[in-house]
Amino acid sequence: MDNVSLDKVPIGAMKILSCYHEVQQILAGKMPVPRTMEFFLSNVCNHACAGCHSRYMHKNEDRFLDFDTMKDVVNDFAELGVEGVEISGGGEPLVYPQIIQAIAFMRGKGLKVGMFSNGTLLTDELSEFLVQNLLFLRIAFDAGTAGTYKKIHGRDDFETLIKNLETLVRYKSKIGGEKKASSERRQTKAQFGTATIGAKYLVSTKNWQELAKAAELARETGLDYLQFKALRASKFTLDDETLKQAEEVAQQARDLSDKNYQVFGSLEKTRPIGRCFLNPIHPVIDAKGDMYLCAFFHHRKDTHKIGNIYEKSFPEIWYSERHYEAFRSTRPKECAVFDCPFHEAAVLARAWIVQNEKHLEFI
């Protein structure tokens, strides 16, 4: 089977096809168990990034999600069959006081865990733990030089970031080698591996010139991939003229891909094809305890809030009439302000699952 070409990128619209049964439930008017739960454990961040929407949305809210309440919710949705947990923000996840205990608890419930971070608060001990326990770690990598990084993040942490990434890669290589040797000694074909370590580049008027430079630096550091996308709804959003120039740099970045490292992304704005029917697959709970219909709710807090975990249990919120009401009330125009991965995924889901153009009941 060596001649079969496989997409090595762990991010993309094709993944929606793995949610075939969940989409079928939604079409039947039922509420499926989410495939992924997202947590904003913290509203606190050690950076002040240009264009950060969360910085303004959550600045006057609770700093951290209560740890014991979080455990209760994880118990509930793990029992229902949720498979993955994304820890993001909100604020910076590594500021959360019980971040190690939170990940350990989730892993103990059999959940796969991924995290989005700016990576500047990593220590040797924390790096080793994350490499061993996360399925993926995606780091904000928004510049190719220290000067631009400071303009974007408001902190002079670029050298710290590079050092921390090198530490992550070192632990990944060390632990991966140990697992491989152990597997070979047992003479099994068991899969081994450690966290996928990737970079995320948010392209704006402040940093588009350095996208290819950052992609090259990420490859030299030993990361698995760099994903890029355009900043939206900001005074730093690319205009039409700058976008053309940025596209050329983006292609230079893509050309750095090889069998061990991938650069991918798009600067084109995503567009909804109609009312979203995929959001039950990926809801979010923020540090205030509010649960939202969709992990990409952003500015739609009032219309997309479906409950609060300090007031009701996860099943009570998830299967509530309020959830069904919010699901039925989503409007395409409200989903077009920011880019959303569900926009592209919905095209595939509608053609392949809803309209059944690929006859997925048959192999």
Side-chain angles (χ1 to χ4, degrees):
M1 298 294 289
D2 292 340
N3 61 334
V4 176
S5 177
L6 298 177
D7 181 2
K8 296 182 179 180
V9 177
I11 304 167
M14 291 291 289
K15 292 169 67 173
I16 195 62
L17 299 178
S18 72
C19 297
Y20 170 81
H21 292 294
E22 288 96 327
V23 174
Q24 291 283 24
Q25 284 182 278
I26 294 169
L27 296 176
K30 301 176 182 178
M31 193 61 68
V33 174
R35 176 68 62 88
T36 304
M37 280 300 305
E38 187 159 347
F39 271 122
F40 295 173
L41 295 178
S42 167
N43 280 329
V44 181
C45 189
N46 61 320
H47 282 194
C49 296
C52 177
H53 305 291
S54 293
R55 180 180 169 193
Y56 302 102
M57 286 173 51
H58 303 289
K59 66 179 179 179
N60 296 320
E61 297 180 356
D62 297 349
R63 291 169 60 85
F64 302 115
L65 185 65
D66 177 71
F67 181 58
D68 289 330
T69 304
M70 183 276 299
K71 290 198 296 183
D72 290 340
V73 174
V74 170
N75 270 328
D76 284 345
F77 67 61
E79 288 181 4
L80 287 175
V82 169
E83 297 181 26
V85 179
E86 282 187 357
I87 302 174
S88 63
E92 164 56 44
L94 296 183
V95 176
Y96 190 64
Q98 299 93 4
I99 188 62
I100 289 179
Q101 297 94 317
I103 294 171
F105 184 81
M106 295 171 188
R107 294 285 288 113
K109 294 297 176 181
L111 295 160
K112 300 290 194 309
V113 185
M115 179 187 290
F116 300 87
S117 170
N118 64 41
T120 60
L121 297 177
L122 290 167
T123 63
D124 273 24
E125 178 184 11
L126 185 54
S127 295
E128 183 176 20
F129 173 82
L130 296 180
V131 167
Q132 289 177 313
N133 287 278
L134 295 181
L135 184 64
F136 72 84
L137 177 59
R138 197 173 311 163
I139 301 293
F141 199 99
D142 301 311
T145 63
T148 299
Y149 185 88
K150 186 175 182 179
K151 290 179 183 178
I152 297 291
H153 285 258
R155 299 290 185 273
D156 191 15
D157 284 341
F158 191 66
E159 298 305 322
T160 298
L161 174 62
I162 299 301
K163 174 176 164 290
N164 290 348
L165 291 175
E166 290 172 345
T167 299
L168 285 168
V169 172
R170 185 175 71 250
Y171 276 118
K172 176 174 180 174
S173 178
K174 177 177 180 290
I175 296 168
E178 291 172 351
K179 289 185 176 182
K180 180 178 181 180
S182 175
S183 175
E184 289 174 347
R185 283 196 299 271
R186 292 195 304 271
Q187 295 183 334
T188 69
K189 294 184 179 180
Q191 294 293 316
F192 65 90
T194 50
T196 298
I197 304 172
K200 180 69 172 289
Y201 198 103
L202 194 59
V203 184
S204 70
T205 57
K206 285 180 169 288
N207 67 354
W208 65 265
Q209 300 95 331
E210 296 184 5
L211 174 55
K213 185 178 181 64
E216 185 173 6
L217 184 55
R219 183 177 68 173
E220 292 173 354
T221 306
L223 303 191
D224 296 302
Y225 67 84
L226 182 141
Q227 178 197 19
F228 63 87
K229 63 182 293 187
L231 175 68
R232 302 295 182 198
S234 168
K235 64 181 180 180
F236 306 117
T237 297
L238 299 171
D239 59 27
D240 290 342
E241 182 59 34
T242 311
L243 180 61
K244 293 179 182 178
Q245 300 175 66
E247 285 283 8
E248 295 179 5
V249 181
Q251 188 54 54
Q252 295 171 19
R254 292 188 192 97
D255 291 342
L256 295 169
S257 298
D258 56 37
K259 65 178 182 179
N260 296 315
Y261 173 71
Q262 299 291 315
V263 179
F264 58 96
S266 174
L267 299 180
E268 292 185 19
K269 191 166 188 344
T270 65
R271 303 288 181 184
I273 61 170
R275 188 176 69 82
C276 183
F277 58 95
L278 298 178
N279 51 65
I281 297 168
H282 189 166
V284 64
I285 297 171
D286 69 14
K288 190 179 176 181
D290 287 333
M291 187 186 303
Y292 292 92
L293 180 74
C294 172
F296 313 105
F297 69 100
H298 293 293
H299 60 295
R300 302 179 297 279
K301 295 182 71 173
D302 293 336
T303 59
H304 282 49
K305 178 182 173 181
I306 60 175
N308 186 284
I309 59 173
Y310 291 124
E311 300 168 0
K312 294 182 179 180
S313 69
F314 179 84
E316 287 176 315
I317 297 172
W318 190 249
Y319 297 111
S320 67
E321 179 54 37
R322 168 59 193 152
H323 188 183
Y324 282 93
E325 175 190 7
F327 173 73
R328 292 190 294 264
S329 300
T330 57
R331 297 186 179 96
K333 288 185 178 180
E334 292 182 340
C335 291
V337 176
F338 298 94
D339 290 343
C340 176
F342 281 160
H343 291 167
E344 185 179 1
V347 175
L348 277 174
R350 178 167 292 183
W352 287 33
I353 302 177
V354 179
Q355 297 171 352
N356 200 20
E357 292 178 4
K358 290 292 183 179
H359 301 174
L360 295 182
E361 297 88 350
F362 299 87
I363 301 299

